[in-house]
Amino acid sequence: MDRLCDEILQIILNELNNPSAFTLISKRHYQFARDPYVRASYFLGRYGRIQAMYWALGRGKLLDERVIDILLSSGAHLSRYLVQCAMHHYFRTQVPFIKTRWVRTIPLPVFSYFLSIAARMYGDIPVAKGEDDGSILTLLLKQSRFPTEYRAAKWEQVKDVVEKYKFIPFSDRDPMMAQFPLVLAIEPRLLPYARLNGFNMDRKYRNFVFRRMFEKPAIMFESRADEIVENVRELSRLDPDMFLSRTVAAEICMEAKTNEPAYTALKRLDKNGVLRFELSSVVQELIKLFLNTRSVTTNHTAGVLRVLFKDFPSEDPTVRLVLLLTVFLSEPTAVPSSLSATSETSQSLARYVESCNEEIEELGLGPLTRKDITDVLLSKFVPERFGGILEYARSVLKLDKSEMDGVMTDVALGCLEIGCKGRMLKKLVEAHEFLGDVIAAHLVKHYRINIEDLPPSEDEKACKEYSAPLCADFMMRGRVTLAGLEDAMAGPVVQIAEPVEPQNADGAEHGGEHADGQEGESDDEDGPEDNDPAGDGDDEDLGAIGQDTLSAMIRKDEMMPTRRRRYHELYTNYHDSIGKLPYPADYTQVGTWIQSHFGHLSAAAAVVRIHAVINQNYNVLHHHMYMADGTILAHVPTTLKQFKILARLGRLPSMSLFDDIEGGTEFYFSEEDYLSQEELSTGLAPLGPSGKRAARKAARAASAAGSGSAAVAGPSTPSPPAKKRPRRSVASAVKSYVVPDSDDEAIADGRDESHQHLQRFAKKRRAETNMQRWIKHLALLLKEEQKKYNEKKRRVHAAAPPGVKVKVPKTEFHKSLAQNLPRLRRIDRGKREKLYGADVPDEDGSESDEDEYQYRSARAKRRKVED
């Protein structure tokens, strides 16, 4: 270290938070650190010219007159705002964002010298409360929504603060660090002077600045639109990176009715070619977003979308469909709930049809076709009282009965793949009974899934992306991962460089004292950022389009802590998020309705069950049929085919499948075991003798579930107390008093009865229960999974470079089955021990190769025998 040159020592010194220990290494390092040029270079090199003087003022033992002169002559920035804060803090006046000693560590002669230099630079410096430069700019921000003539901070005064008195935020903890870009949004003419002071407008402030520029004023005035246009033009001219993004433009469009000056200014900017995109394309994409969100049903959204559509007409079919939804779904006229009502029998229905027809003609959306009516009815947000839409088709489109039946059929079949349309299906089938048979036949013909229809297990990407068309979990509760949930909650994260801050050191003459106690405080100080998921990597990134209003985004910016801007999506209220939900407020899942309507022992329910298992739709899987007293009657049977499908896809089985096995559900290889071939081919229950047998079989299964049989009882059905069987250990402990070669007939008869009872008891023990059959076949399935895993591991290890260990993960199905199968074995053994005694042998008829789940006793240690 003693042989290093001074330049290398300066570089090492600049990298240290607390260089006091470095100065004690040798006498040379001690003398080197005492040099005023070295100390000034340390502050400039470590903190930059903007914050160098601020950190130097906090190291009172390192600062003297010579160091101050070198700092100022080397380019360290000294603003009047920094001098005012230093004077307030030194003379015991509160500075809100400074919590440590800071300038109070400076000796009075050195601080007096510092004030004399500031007086020569800026003359008479105001020191009263509320007269500092930061307070002037804060006042400008508070009155930004007022007309220009009503603002207390005038343009000349603000210009002198930035240009003449060199204002710039000097600390990361200063609130003005995040608010100063807003000052430039109000007065873009300040940007050239701020750049001369060292300020650099980061692109992450872009949306933050333009939102405030278009903010709704507290008092409307005529020149507001002109002021906005001028500010946008000026800021875009002075800084090419500061341009209006599509994100903010969409937010302004969402306030087309409530913030008319901002919307008018936006249209003028688009007309004059100032924007870097076509405003009509933004409006078109914005309207399309409402096709799959609940807010399309609100009157406010309908009014905004109609204003946008009138200003920017579009021929896009999706835009037209959204406008039709706003007409039919936001109409306040109440309609009857019955589908048989007509305009002649109901005046409210006639008014509804007339009002909708007038609005469609006003918007230029007509004439409507049969396909338009079908598309409107297939929307997820059509209410339960949709008779008005059907009446519109009858009276306005003049559809006859056969055409209306065709519309009903198309809507019923289209609702099958929309998970939340169960209520509409129920109402359609109740009004038109023929739809029930049509739906059942369509389900079996087009939606039945066999193992051969699935992608091969070797194609992991295809298996992961595969999803069944029915029973999709539209709330995504079953398949969302923890990482995906964290990303969704945290929102976009902007990576910034973390400022390096020194640690506190007390009593070190050349290490100095900590200036502000801010170590580790700035790692999350992201500042205002773009709230679009597209990121900031591209100069021409125009941002994503959302449904938030401008006022809602400004409120989020104000509510969030400055250092936690990455958690932007968490700071929202109920009204901000409820309108974005992709499902209606009150709904019934299609899968649960199919099971309830067709019965648990039907081909349609079996098809739906497989789709729910693949998509992990827990609402459909946990659906049970209940009796009048509330007890569970039955549910769709669990089959081995469902486990094989999950094994093929490598997906995690629902715990309800194992719970059914634990509850004693009957074993089936597939739905073919309990359904007739006719029903599997047509979807309709047979009406002949075989149908009677199926009905009797269902009745027997229901009665067995209600009586609580030990073999087939459901998981939630309580079983009645059974007669306690004698234990083998107890029977063997009973002593016999029979005398050999005795002719006592009573004793002989008793011995014969006991022998016959044991024979019947042993015969019952040899019967294989449903759980044992499940365990046997699941064990075979686990062997196949282990075999495939071993083959995959050998292939991966053979393809890996020599000496490289590659970890091959198991599928979710493999891990779940390996965990739950031993649990089922323990439960089965416990049940048999209760019935037959503690010495009952294992009779599950299966073996497992999973040695890691078998208990092995520890080997006893051998004791050394000394010779």
Side-chain angles (χ1 to χ4, degrees):
M1 291 292 290
D2 290 338
R3 297 180 181 180
L4 295 177
C5 61
D6 292 348
E7 290 79 6
I8 300 298
L9 292 179
Q10 183 71 61
I11 294 174
I12 296 174
L13 192 69
N14 292 348
E15 295 298 326
L16 300 177
N17 286 337
N18 185 6
S20 58
F22 178 79
T23 61
L24 301 178
I25 294 177
S26 65
K27 187 176 294 185
R28 181 198 172 196
H29 294 161
Y30 180 80
Q31 295 296 331
F32 176 78
R34 292 178 60 88
D35 191 339
Y37 286 98
V38 173
R39 296 180 179 180
S41 299
Y42 171 78
F43 292 117
L44 287 170
R46 184 165 181 80
Y47 305 109
R49 57 180 295 267
I50 302 299
Q51 299 190 30
M53 185 61 70
Y54 166 72
W55 289 103
L57 292 175
R59 299 290 184 90
K61 295 184 178 180
L62 294 178
L63 195 65
D64 55 18
E65 294 83 349
R66 184 62 177 154
V67 174
I68 293 176
D69 291 337
I70 296 174
L71 283 173
L72 294 176
S73 61
S74 300
H77 187 80
L78 178 61
S79 63
R80 190 176 74 168
Y81 178 52
L82 174 60
V83 178
Q84 290 170 333
C85 291
M87 295 172 65
H88 291 172
H89 191 265
Y90 193 85
F91 296 108
R92 301 303 190 269
T93 304
Q94 182 182 7
V95 178
F97 59 90
I98 297 178
K99 306 298 182 183
T100 57
R101 298 181 64 191
W102 194 39
V103 295
R104 295 170 188 169
T105 60
I106 303 176
L108 182 59
V110 177
F111 190 72
S112 300
Y113 180 76
F114 170 75
L115 293 181
S116 64
I117 294 178
R120 290 198 300 268
M121 293 178 61
Y122 300 117
D124 187 15
I125 299 176
V127 295
K129 183 178 180 180
E131 294 184 359
D132 60 278
D133 297 343
S135 299
I136 294 175
L137 297 182
T138 302
L139 181 62
L140 176 65
L141 291 177
K142 291 180 179 179
Q143 299 178 352
S144 61
R145 300 175 61 190
F146 293 173
T148 306
E149 57 271 15
Y150 293 121
R151 296 173 186 171
K154 303 301 180 181
W155 157 247
E156 293 77 11
Q157 184 181 9
V158 175
K159 179 184 176 183
D160 288 343
V161 168
V162 180
E163 179 187 15
K164 183 177 179 181
Y165 302 120
K166 311 296 182 184
F167 177 87
I168 192 171
F170 56 83
S171 172
D172 293 332
R173 300 198 56 164
D174 189 354
M176 285 303 301
M177 183 66 74
Q179 296 176 358
F180 190 59
L182 297 180
V183 176
L184 302 180
I186 300 170
E187 290 290 350
R189 293 173 290 180
L190 295 175
L191 182 58
Y193 310 119
R195 281 183 170 176
L196 293 176
N197 297 337
F199 179 78
N200 182 27
M201 179 72 82
D202 200 306
R203 289 167 47 218
K204 66 185 179 183
Y205 292 100
R206 183 190 301 152
N207 290 352
F208 186 67
V209 168
F210 280 101
R211 286 190 185 109
R212 287 303 187 96
M213 195 175 291
F214 284 85
E215 185 179 10
K216 182 180 179 180
I219 303 175
M220 290 291 183
F221 52 96
E222 296 181 359
S223 61
R224 174 61 177 166
D226 298 334
E227 180 182 343
I228 294 175
V229 172
E230 184 64 27
N231 289 342
V232 172
R233 284 177 175 274
E234 187 70 14
L235 186 58
S236 301
R237 182 184 65 82
L238 295 174
D239 191 344
D241 289 336
M242 300 301 293
F243 56 86
L244 188 66
S245 66
R246 287 156 42 99
T247 304
V248 180
E251 296 167 3
I252 298 170
C253 290
M254 287 300 299
E255 293 189 350
K257 296 186 67 176
T258 58
N259 192 1
E260 294 182 4
Y263 181 61
T264 303
L266 182 65
K267 291 191 293 183
R268 288 175 54 183
L269 292 171
D270 176 64
K271 185 178 180 180
N272 297 334
V274 179
L275 304 180
R276 300 192 181 187
F277 50 85
E278 294 291 335
L279 186 58
S280 58
S281 64
V282 173
V283 172
Q284 180 174 312
E285 294 184 27
L286 176 63
I287 296 177
K288 288 181 180 180
L289 291 179
F290 290 90
L291 182 64
N292 295 314
T293 56
R294 191 186 299 180
S295 56
V296 73
T297 61
T298 61
N299 293 327
H300 172 73
T301 302
V304 172
L305 296 185
R306 291 174 190 178
V307 170
L308 296 177
F309 183 75
K310 290 179 181 178
D311 292 339
F312 300 94
S314 175
E315 299 296 332
D316 190 277
T318 306
V319 174
R320 182 171 180 269
L321 177 58
V322 172
L323 268 297
L324 288 176
L325 289 176
T326 61
V327 172
F328 285 110
L329 305 187
S330 62
E331 177 59 40
T333 305
V335 297
S337 59
S338 176
L339 298 184
S340 60
T342 61
S343 300
E344 292 77 13
T345 60
S346 175
Q347 295 182 359
S348 62
L349 197 60
R351 288 195 300 269
Y352 175 85
V353 172
E354 182 181 359
S355 176
C356 291
N357 192 31
E358 292 176 356
E359 292 179 2
I360 289 174
E361 292 179 356
E362 181 184 355
L363 294 173
L365 301 175
L368 269 62
T369 62
R370 171 179 167 177
K371 183 180 181 302
D372 294 330
I373 297 297
T374 304
D375 292 340
V376 170
L377 289 173
L378 287 178
S379 173
K380 293 182 288 186
F381 308 101
V382 172
E384 189 175 357
R385 300 189 176 191
F386 55 92
I389 305 176
L390 297 178
E391 180 59 24
Y392 182 90
R394 291 192 196 100
S395 59
V396 179
L397 302 187
K398 307 299 181 182
L399 299 182
D400 56 18
K401 185 178 185 305
S402 61
E403 291 176 327
M404 289 301 300
D405 290 344
V407 171
M408 301 293 185
T409 303
D410 294 341
V411 172
L413 299 182
C415 288
L416 294 177
E417 296 190 12
I418 306 175
C420 56
K421 300 287 284 185
R423 288 177 178 267
M424 176 175 282
L425 279 174
K426 179 181 179 182
K427 203 159 188 178
L428 287 174
V429 173
E430 288 176 352
H432 306 277
E433 296 182 358
F434 73 92
L435 291 177
D437 295 340
V438 173
I439 291 173
H442 187 77
L443 283 171
V444 174
K445 183 177 180 180
H446 295 90
Y447 293 106
R448 190 178 177 192
I449 297 177
N450 295 317
I451 300 178
E452 297 77 16
D453 303 330
L454 302 175
S457 57
E458 292 78 12
D459 191 352
E460 297 182 1
K461 182 179 180 182
C463 291
K464 185 178 181 180
E465 296 176 352
Y466 180 82
S467 61
L470 301 182
C471 299
D473 190 0
F474 48 85
M475 298 184 69
M476 296 301 291
R477 291 172 298 191
R479 287 176 288 173
V480 65
T481 60
L482 181 59
L485 180 63
E486 290 177 350
D487 294 341
M489 294 295 291
V493 178
V494 178
Q495 297 180 354
I496 61 171
E498 298 183 357
V500 183
E501 301 185 359
Q503 298 177 353
N504 193 8
D506 295 328
E509 180 179 355
H510 300 285
E513 297 184 1
H514 189 271
D516 203 17
Q518 300 176 37
E519 64 275 8
E521 293 278 348
S522 302
D523 53 353
D524 287 331
E525 189 168 345
D526 295 340
E529 62 180 77
D530 287 349
N531 297 302
D532 51 84
D536 295 330
D538 187 6
D539 291 339
E540 291 296 324
D541 176 25
L542 300 178
I545 296 176
Q547 298 182 9
D548 292 298
T549 63
L550 185 68
S551 301
M553 298 304 296
I554 293 175
R555 187 187 67 251
K556 289 181 182 180
D557 291 337
E558 294 174 349
M559 290 173 58
M560 278 184 298
T562 306
R563 308 175 200 286
R564 293 294 183 269
R565 306 200 70 87
R566 65 183 61 182
Y567 302 107
H568 188 274
E569 294 300 326
L570 297 181
Y571 290 88
T572 182
N573 58 22
Y574 177 80
H575 297 286
D576 292 337
S577 59
I578 198 66
K580 301 178 185 177
L581 295 178
Y583 53 89
D586 193 10
Y587 63 90
T588 297
Q589 294 219 17
V590 172
T592 59
W593 174 81
I594 291 175
Q595 295 179 13
S596 301
H597 180 76
F598 295 101
H600 66 286
L601 294 179
S602 63
V607 171
V608 165
R609 172 80 171 186
I610 292 179
H611 285 249
V613 167
I614 294 175
N615 293 333
Q616 299 179 354
N617 192 322
Y618 300 132
N619 285 336
V620 179
L621 290 176
H622 296 170
H623 175 71
H624 299 82
M625 300 181 65
Y626 294 89
M627 299 179 66
D629 57 355
T631 59
I632 295 178
L633 177 62
H635 62 282
V636 182
T638 300
T639 62
L640 186 63
K641 177 183 176 181
Q642 299 168 9
F643 283 94
K644 289 185 177 181
I645 289 176
L646 292 175
R648 181 74 167 264
L649 298 175
R651 294 187 180 174
L652 180 71
S654 172
M655 282 304 299
S656 62
L657 302 181
F658 295 106
D659 293 340
D660 291 346
I661 298 174
E662 181 181 345
T665 186
E666 190 171 352
F667 176 82
Y668 296 109
F669 283 98
S670 66
E671 62 272 13
E672 298 176 358
D673 292 354
Y674 62 90
L675 295 174
S676 64
Q677 190 63 33
E678 181 181 355
E679 187 173 2
L680 289 173
S681 59
T682 63
L684 304 178
L687 302 178
S690 60
K692 296 179 181 179
R693 287 197 298 270
R696 287 197 298 268
K697 183 179 179 181
R700 286 198 302 269
S703 63
S707 61
S709 175
V712 295
S716 301
T717 306
S719 58
K723 183 177 179 180
K724 190 171 183 180
R725 300 170 184 254
R727 293 179 178 270
R728 176 181 297 181
S729 58
V730 177
S732 61
V734 177
K735 296 181 179 180
S736 176
Y737 296 94
V738 178
V739 180
D741 300 330
S742 172
D743 56 354
D744 193 341
E745 295 180 358
I747 297 177
D749 292 341
R751 182 176 60 183
D752 293 339
E753 292 177 0
S754 176
H755 180 68
Q756 293 175 1
H757 174 71
L758 291 176
Q759 282 185 339
R760 290 195 302 269
F761 181 63
K763 186 177 180 180
K764 289 182 179 179
R765 291 184 60 185
R766 287 195 296 268
E768 187 179 33
T769 63
N770 285 316
M771 181 175 287
Q772 290 176 354
R773 296 187 67 188
W774 275 111
I775 291 174
K776 178 174 66 176
H777 290 282
L778 289 180
L780 295 176
L781 189 57
L782 181 60
K783 283 184 179 181
E784 296 177 4
E785 289 296 307
Q786 186 65 34
K787 183 179 178 181
K788 290 192 297 184
Y789 172 73
N790 293 336
E791 292 177 357
K792 178 182 177 182
K793 187 162 61 173
R794 282 194 294 269
R795 290 196 307 267
V796 173
H797 288 173
V804 178
K805 294 182 178 180
V806 181
K807 186 176 181 181
V808 181
K810 297 181 179 179
T811 63
E812 295 295 331
F813 177 83
H814 190 178
K815 291 187 287 187
S816 176
L817 187 57
Q819 179 182 2
N820 286 283
L821 188 57
R823 182 175 67 89
L824 294 177
R825 285 197 178 100
R826 290 193 298 268
I827 294 172
D828 176 62
R829 182 176 179 84
K831 288 183 177 180
R832 288 187 288 111
E833 285 180 355
K834 283 185 177 181
L835 295 175
Y836 311 125
D839 55 346
V840 60
D842 291 330
E843 296 182 1
D844 56 1
S846 63
E847 297 178 357
S848 175
D849 293 335
E850 292 293 313
D851 293 340
E852 57 181 319
Y853 295 100
Q854 297 177 5
Y855 175 76
R856 295 180 177 179
S857 58
R859 187 175 180 180
K861 295 183 178 180
R862 295 182 179 180
R863 298 181 62 182
K864 267 190 175 182
V865 180
E866 298 181 359
D867 297 336

